[in-house]
């Protein structure tokens, strides 16, 4: 890692004979920003330089409980501790960008649809975080952060219209066009996981709607489809997994599909089909040149990409299809939200409302 500062253009004063102090001098010349992706389970912390290289990484459990003040205090402490670690390693930290899995309303950063962190529902988080962490502080919806990372540092650098889709416990998109980040729902490009792709779905989505993309193609739906396949007595390696562990995860279905399990492959194809249907609509809405996929479920790679590409090719108007260069895996499969929110410290013009 210590070799990395040489690539930053700040290496003028470096000579190979420099001892550790020499490297620290160079690091102090490099401005870095902290990105914190506050997820429902874990909080990912990254220290990012202006070229998008991650200099330090850390993961801490996201505090739980019913007291929003205590929760924010604990998040603040973790970030301040990480910043101290960065400074001790010789880096200059110029600001912090936060990603949250819920929407943020207004200048006080009131949290909306905080399904994964119910303690924060309706709670204004800005003042307390500014006090705990200090500024400059930026904040964005997590899938927006992933889109910013892809645009600034990833595969979207050379395209003028980019759409990223985060597929994990939930599903959502982020869009960046030549005019900047498309923000028309409290920091998100819509509540895009709730687009309807299966009007015949029987079960209700946790959002209260029915047939939403998220309810039929995100990790919980993949896990559920695996359990249903076992219950139907389908021949699948998932049955053995379930017998041993008493449960299965979406990741088990992905792994089984990768090893050729027919039931698991069918489940992934079905999920890919639904995602493709949603993307077909998003292509017509946003006219992206590139679509990049990230998140835990997207780690299925070609198992998911293949049905998605086939579905999009089948459904989308040729005019839009000709202008869609590709549907690819993200350059930042799992920590784009944290990296992108750190990038907002360097590139505030991309999301003026995030106020670094
Ligand atoms: Zn829904």
């Amino acid at each position: 890692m210590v070799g990395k500062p040489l690539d930053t253009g700040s290496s003028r004063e470096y000579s190979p004979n420099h001892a550790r102090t020499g490297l620290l001098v160079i690091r102090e010349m490099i401005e870095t920003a902290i990105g914190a992706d506050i997820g429902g389970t874990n909080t990912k912390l990254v220290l990012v330089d202006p070229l998008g290289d991650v200099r330090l990484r850390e993961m801490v459990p996201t505090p739980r409980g019913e007291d929003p003040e205590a929760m924010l205090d604990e998040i603040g402490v973790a970030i301040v501790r990480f910043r101290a670690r960065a400074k001790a390693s010789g880096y200059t930290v110029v600001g912090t960008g936060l990603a949250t899995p819920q929407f943020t309303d207004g200048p006080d950063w009131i949290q909306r649809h905080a399904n994964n962190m119910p303690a924060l529902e309706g709670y204004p988080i800005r003042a307390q975080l500014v006090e705990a962490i200090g500024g400059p502080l930026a904040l964005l919806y997590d899938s927006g952060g992933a889109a910013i990372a892809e645009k600034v540092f990833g595969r979207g650098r050379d395209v003028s219209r980019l759409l990223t889709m985060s597929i994990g416990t939930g599903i959502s998109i982020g869009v960046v066009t030549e005019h900047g980040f498309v923000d028309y729902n409290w920091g998100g490009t819509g509540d895009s996981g709730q687009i309807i792709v299966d009007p015949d779905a029987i079960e209700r989505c946790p959002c209260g709607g029915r047939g939403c993309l998220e309810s039929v193609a995100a990790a919980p739906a993949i896990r559920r489809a695996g359990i249903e396949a076992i219950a139907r007595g389908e021949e699948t390696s998932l049955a053995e997994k379930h017998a041993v562990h008493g449960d299965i995860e979406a990741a088990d279905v992905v792994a089984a599909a990768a090893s050729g399990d027919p039931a698991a492959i069918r489940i992934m194809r079905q999920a890919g089909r639904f995602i493709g249907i949603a993307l077909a609509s998003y292509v017509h809405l946003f006219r992206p040149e590139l679509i990049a996929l990230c998140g835990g479920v997207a780690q299925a790679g070609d198992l998911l990409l293949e049905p998605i590409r086939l579905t999009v090719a089948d459904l989308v108007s040729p005019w839009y299809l000709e202008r869609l260069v590709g549907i690819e895996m993200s350059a930042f499969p799992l920590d784009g939200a944290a990296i992108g929110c750190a990038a907002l410290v360097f590139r505030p013009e991309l999301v003026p409302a995030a106020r670094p």
Side-chain angles (χ1 to χ4, degrees):
M1 195 187 69
V2 289
K4 276 285 184 183
L6 298 179
D7 303 329
T8 63
S10 303
S11 58
R12 229 168 354 110
E13 295 177 19
Y14 179 84
S15 95
N17 296 325
H18 267 88
R20 180 178 149 74
T21 47
L23 286 169
L24 285 176
V25 167
I26 291 163
R27 282 178 176 176
E28 276 167 13
M29 297 165 66
I30 302 167
E31 295 193 333
T32 61
I34 292 172
D37 178 8
I38 305 163
T41 308
N42 291 308
T43 294
K44 288 178 203 159
L45 298 162
V46 293
L47 185 75
V48 178
D49 69 23
L51 295 179
D53 284 335
V54 175
R55 304 295 184 128
L56 295 174
R57 258 195 183 85
E58 200 169 302
M59 187 146 84
V60 295
T62 300
R64 295 189 160 277
E66 287 167 16
D67 179 0
E69 255 189 78
M71 198 174 165
L72 293 175
D73 266 349
E74 217 177 304
I75 290 169
V77 165
I79 291 171
V80 169
R81 201 174 48 220
F82 185 66
R83 185 170 59 205
R85 187 184 149 205
K87 286 181 176 171
S89 302
Y91 294 107
T92 299
V93 182
V94 295
T96 305
L98 308 170
T100 61
Q102 56 264 350
F103 299 115
T104 294
D105 182 9
D108 295 330
W109 293 357
I110 296 168
Q111 299 297 284
R112 305 285 187 205
H113 294 201
N115 302 329
N116 290 319
M117 281 174 248
L120 297 181
E121 182 64 46
Y123 193 77
I125 64 172
R126 186 164 190 232
Q128 201 185 328
L129 285 175
V130 168
E131 194 182 330
I133 301 166
L137 202 61
L139 180 138
L140 194 62
Y141 185 48
D142 52 11
S143 63
I148 297 294
E150 204 69 41
K151 174 66 191 159
V152 177
F153 303 127
R155 303 200 197 290
R157 270 178 302 183
D158 300 322
V159 303
S160 59
R161 301 179 69 88
L162 167 75
L163 187 152
T164 56
M165 179 179 267
S166 309
I167 313 165
T169 310
I171 298 181
S172 54
I173 64 167
V175 173
V176 185
T177 73
E178 56 274 46
H179 307 296
F181 176 66
V182 177
D183 170 359
Y184 54 53
N185 187 43
W186 294 325
T189 305
D191 197 349
S192 46
Q194 318 314 326
I195 194 169
I196 307 305
V197 295
D198 184 13
D200 299 324
I202 294 162
E203 280 194 44
R204 289 250 157 220
C205 175
C207 82
R210 193 167 56 77
C212 308
L213 173 64
E214 203 167 275
S215 71
V216 295
I222 289 170
R223 170 182 168 271
R224 194 175 61 236
I227 289 171
E228 284 167 2
I230 297 166
R232 275 196 303 272
E234 281 188 49
E235 200 172 307
T236 167
S237 60
L238 294 169
E240 198 185 319
K241 190 97 188 172
H242 193 272
V244 173
H245 299 283
D247 200 356
I248 56 165
E249 299 293 329
D252 296 323
V253 180
V254 173
S259 64
D261 185 278
I265 288 173
R266 180 184 52 73
I267 292 167
M268 295 312 294
R269 280 202 184 125
Q270 183 60 68
R273 169 98 181 136
F274 284 134
I275 293 166
I277 292 171
L279 283 172
S281 289
Y282 294 140
V283 166
H284 294 137
L285 281 172
F286 299 110
R287 191 167 43 85
E289 288 172 52
L290 180 73
I291 294 172
L293 308 179
C294 59
V297 173
Q299 300 317 296
D302 286 342
L303 286 169
L304 205 60
L305 275 172
E306 192 190 347
I308 289 173
R309 286 174 178 150
L310 285 172
T311 304
V312 168
D314 178 35
L315 299 179
V316 169
S317 151
W319 190 93
Y320 291 89
L321 217 46
E322 276 168 26
R323 285 152 182 84
L324 178 64
V325 178
I327 304 174
E328 308 288 344
M329 290 299 296
S330 163
F332 307 104
L334 294 172
D335 47 14
I339 293 171
C341 286
L344 285 179
V345 175
F346 302 122
R347 299 281 305 277
E349 77 282 2
L350 285 169
V351 191
R355 272 176 302 273

